[in-house]
Amino acid sequence: MYQYNGFDTAFLKQRNLQFRDQVQRRISGALSEEEFKPLRLMNGLYLQLHAYMLRVAIPYGTLNSAQMTALASIAEKWDKGYGHFTTRQNIQFNWPKLQDVPDILDALSEVDMHAIQTSGNTIRNVTADHFAGAAADEIEDPRPYAELLRQWSTDHPEFQFMPRKFKIAVSGSAKDRAVTRAHDIGLLLKKRGAEVGFEVTIGGGLGRTPMIGKTLCDLLPKSDLLPYVEAIVSVWNLLGRRDNKYKSRIKITVHENGLQEIQRLVAKRFSELRPQFKGQDQTLLNALKNAFKAPAWIDAPTATFHENYAKYPNFKSWVDINTSPHRNNDYAIATVSLKTPGQTPGDASSAQMRVIADLAKSYSHDELRISHAQNIVLPHVHKSHLFAVFNGLYPAGLATANAGLISDIIACPGMDYCALATARSIPIAQEIALRFKALKLEHDIGPLQIKISGCINACGHHHVGHIGILGLDRAGVENYQITLGGDATETATIGERAGPGFDASTIVSAIERVVFTYLDLRLSNRETFLETFRRVGAPPFKAALYPGGNEGKTAA
Ligand code: HEM
Ligand code: SF4
């Protein structure tokens, strides 16, 4: 893992001192809320529905146990004993007091963490595949590239006041687990013959105008990454619309100017920038590759794993559903679900964070990842340790075997916390998860991603959910619109709107009808929901949602 050097530490210390002074001036009344707002946003501090909210960056979702333990301590000491892991691999604390925030930032800096550029019109936390450095299908670990981008973009003087926020995601395998096509820039490592490079997509984004990223460069040489990304951002920084915040994201710039024109402008800017990069970036990249080199793998027998797998059905089920193939065959990647039916998706208590941190230290080479699906990953577990990991997770309520299944729901904070929300998301997620738990159908249904947002901003990724739910406000009443057939992977697709929305009391039954339709129509239990949807299209699902053909009218 990358560890801060003297420069990083000094920079952060300085920055925190500056913010401590700003907070004091706000508390004394020397700064008005209006004057304070841009200053707090530069440090990830939002003012939400009930309280301040602090968003802390977890670069490319990678943490070690000391960092996770520090997050647990912060939750305990200065918040209400829990934190919320988000779809952008950040953690949000929902209840900090303003006067405590400087102390929280100092506590974070002690473990190489901060909240810089988690807000504002800047380049936000660079996200990556949560199986980075571990996945069996990986071409190369994407994190050195993500760290290079993080260092380049942090406090970059040219990119602090852009038309709008800017999000970059990197995936190191052709299988896209980082939702790259829903980002302003998506970087997907690809192999063509002996050549490895990045497919660069731009203009992806969700929000009120969802768009799938378009390919700007098919195979970018890896050594051109920084000048090329800088060329894109600087072209948009000049061309992007500042007159209307709803048209300011790069997706609209691409849409209004055309991909070819953007390609031309980026190529021109790239030709100016390329010669200015004289190799320092590559020297740094090589040092970063060294920082991210694989741990020393354990060489031990795995016989006990196979014995326990055959003996304990709960363990078998967890292994089957929550572990994924590792690049070392004696290892597994373990997903720790933060989606026990009935709980708030993505929330972890400080006690749970400590359990996970301790397990990472003992059994995952001290590494953890946060996934965009709001779960936590132990990336490197030797198979002989899987049973101990399972037994460590179980009493903490963390061994739910549902990764990728219907109760593994992504949900934004919605009306329970967010000032922009038009409806609640968390209770709907909880109800759906509990309904399907009671039906005992989850494992039979198989892979199915439900994603819920509490307003049009789409923080819960509903557009790319196999089933998406968007909570709106219709004359003071919560109304939930369903989208079908969305896809967040390398075959990214925006879901199709099914029809009129449902109120809070009927949305769960509506989802049940969609799922039963799938179970009726699938060719076998190996055909997934998305495959069935793609084969038969929306009509049978719409017929189930709106019996009597009242599609055009308000749903019951
Ligand atoms: C303080 C609470 C939050 C506020 C005020 C907020 C605000 C917004 C806004 C205004 C947008 C739309 C941006 C656009 O279309 O230009 C957006 C998009 C998004 N937000 Fe949030 N958000 C919040 C919390 C979250 C949380 C908790 C997550 C993760 C669970 C998240 C992840 C995202 C994602 C993934 C998108 C869509 C991708 C895109 O930028 O196009 N946000 N957010
Ligand atoms: S989607 Fe809307 S309600 Fe949900 S977190 Fe984003 S801004 Fe808030």
Side-chain angles (χ1 to χ4, degrees):
M1 261 178 78
Y2 176 72
Q3 299 217 304
Y4 281 12
N5 59 26
F7 174 86
D8 301 317
T9 314
F11 170 78
L12 215 50
K13 200 167 171 207
Q14 197 56 34
R15 191 56 194 244
N16 287 352
L17 265 177
Q18 198 182 39
F19 189 55
R20 185 177 286 278
D21 180 56
Q22 291 160 353
V23 167
Q24 247 136 37
R25 283 191 282 147
R26 173 69 194 114
I27 290 170
S28 75
L31 286 177
S32 67
E33 170 51 27
E34 205 187 331
E35 288 165 327
F36 182 57
K37 187 177 174 185
L39 304 172
R40 65 170 164 76
L41 289 179
M42 282 169 76
N43 293 284
L45 189 64
Y46 286 78
L47 195 52
Q48 282 301 287
L49 216 48
H50 311 292
Y52 282 102
M53 180 276 277
L54 182 68
R55 183 182 289 158
V56 176
I58 301 174
Y60 34 87
T62 292
L63 284 174
N64 59 28
S65 62
Q67 291 172 320
M68 184 61 104
T69 307
L71 295 177
S73 302
I74 289 169
E76 242 157 40
K77 193 166 173 191
W78 291 296
D79 206 284
K80 292 193 179 181
Y82 66 94
H84 179 72
F85 291 97
T86 80
T87 45
R88 298 216 72 258
Q89 300 179 317
N90 296 312
I91 182 169
Q92 294 187 174
F93 292 108
N94 285 311
W95 307 98
K97 291 197 184 64
L98 180 57
Q99 67 266 27
D100 293 335
V101 173
D103 290 340
I104 300 178
L105 294 179
D106 281 349
L108 287 169
S109 73
E110 278 167 29
V111 289
D112 294 0
M113 294 182 85
H114 61 70
I116 297 169
Q117 289 184 204
T118 58
S119 176
N121 295 336
T122 55
I123 298 179
R124 302 288 187 89
N125 187 27
V126 177
T127 54
D129 182 353
H130 45 270
F131 291 167
D137 60 11
E138 187 168 271
I139 299 167
E140 220 182 287
D141 189 339
R143 290 173 304 162
Y145 300 97
E147 175 60 24
L148 184 70
L149 288 165
R150 188 188 74 85
Q151 295 198 14
W152 159 81
S153 61
T154 303
D155 240 23
H156 192 304
E158 194 178 326
F159 303 135
Q160 294 304 303
F161 299 97
M162 300 199 291
R164 196 80 173 87
K165 57 182 160 182
F166 200 87
K167 300 177 180 175
I168 304 177
V170 198
S171 173
S173 107
K175 199 165 164 44
D176 183 2
R177 283 177 289 259
V179 208
T180 60
R181 284 188 184 268
H183 282 76
D184 297 293
I185 294 183
L187 299 165
L188 194 67
L189 262 184
K190 277 197 167 163
K191 210 173 193 165
R192 195 189 290 143
E195 221 181 325
V196 175
F198 286 104
E199 179 182 355
V200 183
T201 52
I202 60 162
L206 303 173
R208 65 179 59 221
T209 325
M211 290 190 190
I212 297 299
K214 300 176 179 70
T215 302
L216 189 69
C217 178
D218 199 31
L219 204 72
L220 181 78
K222 290 183 292 179
S223 54
D224 285 344
L225 180 68
L226 225 44
Y228 196 75
V229 168
E230 181 158 333
I232 298 171
V233 183
S234 59
V235 163
W236 169 69
N237 200 15
L238 288 177
L239 205 60
R241 289 184 54 179
R242 290 168 194 264
D243 60 318
N244 180 342
K245 79 171 186 167
Y246 301 121
K247 297 193 188 282
S248 52
R249 299 287 293 266
I250 195 172
K251 59 188 170 188
I252 307 292
T253 318
V254 174
H255 181 71
E256 287 183 347
N257 293 273
L259 186 65
Q260 272 186 342
E261 174 62 2
I262 300 292
Q263 237 153 2
R264 187 186 71 76
L265 291 169
V266 169
K268 183 168 171 287
R269 183 73 185 125
F270 176 72
S271 68
E272 291 159 7
L273 285 169
R274 187 68 193 90
Q276 295 173 28
F277 283 74
K278 298 191 191 304
Q280 303 93 321
D281 57 330
Q282 295 310 300
T283 310
L284 175 58
L285 181 65
N286 287 334
L288 294 175
K289 282 186 179 168
N290 209 29
F292 286 100
K293 69 176 187 294
W297 306 123
I298 304 164
D299 190 10
T302 57
T304 52
F305 161 69
H306 297 289
E307 282 161 26
N308 290 323
Y309 181 83
K311 203 164 157 190
Y312 300 104
N314 280 354
F315 176 56
K316 177 182 184 302
S317 168
W318 181 78
V319 169
D320 289 347
I321 292 161
N322 285 35
T323 66
S324 309
H326 193 278
R327 61 203 255 194
N328 179 330
N329 210 24
D330 286 346
Y331 275 73
I333 303 172
T335 296
V336 179
S337 168
L338 297 182
K339 313 291 178 64
T340 300
Q343 88 156 67
T344 302
D347 273 13
S349 69
S350 52
Q352 288 178 319
M353 290 186 223
R354 283 184 202 285
V355 166
I356 298 169
D358 290 348
L359 290 171
K361 191 158 191 186
S362 305
Y363 302 119
S364 182
H365 295 274
D366 204 19
E367 281 196 38
L368 288 158
R369 310 269 194 273
I370 307 305
S371 78
H372 78 265
Q374 302 182 283
N375 290 316
I376 297 179
V377 174
L378 293 163
H380 308 302
V381 185
H382 191 271
K383 285 183 180 162
S384 64
H385 292 151
L386 271 176
F387 193 56
V389 166
F390 175 76
N391 284 320
L393 293 172
Y394 194 84
L398 290 167
T400 308
N402 66 348
L405 303 184
I406 195 166
S407 62
D408 186 4
I409 298 172
I410 291 183
C412 79
M415 192 83 94
D416 290 283
Y417 297 98
C418 178
L420 302 179
T422 41
R424 291 164 304 154
S425 338
I426 295 169
I428 304 298
Q430 289 168 323
E431 260 188 75
I432 294 173
L434 287 171
R435 173 80 64 97
F436 282 94
K437 184 180 178 207
L439 290 169
K440 295 194 186 335
L441 277 174
E442 175 159 62
H443 291 203
D444 185 28
I445 295 164
L448 205 172
Q449 294 168 0
I450 296 185
K451 303 184 197 258
I452 311 177
S453 305
C455 82
I456 200 165
N457 288 321
C459 303
H461 286 195
H462 66 275
H463 299 292
V464 289
H466 301 159
I467 300 176
I469 301 176
L470 164 63
L472 294 168
D473 174 39
R474 289 271 178 269
V477 180
E478 286 164 313
N479 184 273
Y480 294 90
Q481 267 178 15
I482 295 176
T483 47
L484 297 169
D487 175 4
T489 69
E490 61 285 355
T491 43
T493 315
I494 301 292
E496 198 177 312
R497 214 187 119 190
F502 296 83
D503 65 27
S505 65
T506 54
I507 180 67
V508 180
S509 299
I511 298 300
E512 195 180 286
R513 295 204 291 285
V514 170
V515 175
F516 282 140
T517 306
Y518 153 65
L519 292 176
D520 281 348
L521 292 174
R522 69 181 177 185
L523 295 175
S524 77
N525 61 6
R526 283 204 304 278
E527 189 181 57
T528 64
F529 175 87
L530 193 58
E531 286 162 354
T532 303
F533 181 84
R534 286 185 171 159
R535 181 173 54 79
V536 302
F541 294 96
K542 288 189 183 179
L545 279 173
Y546 309 101
N550 65 340
E551 242 178 84
K553 307 182 193 90
T554 307

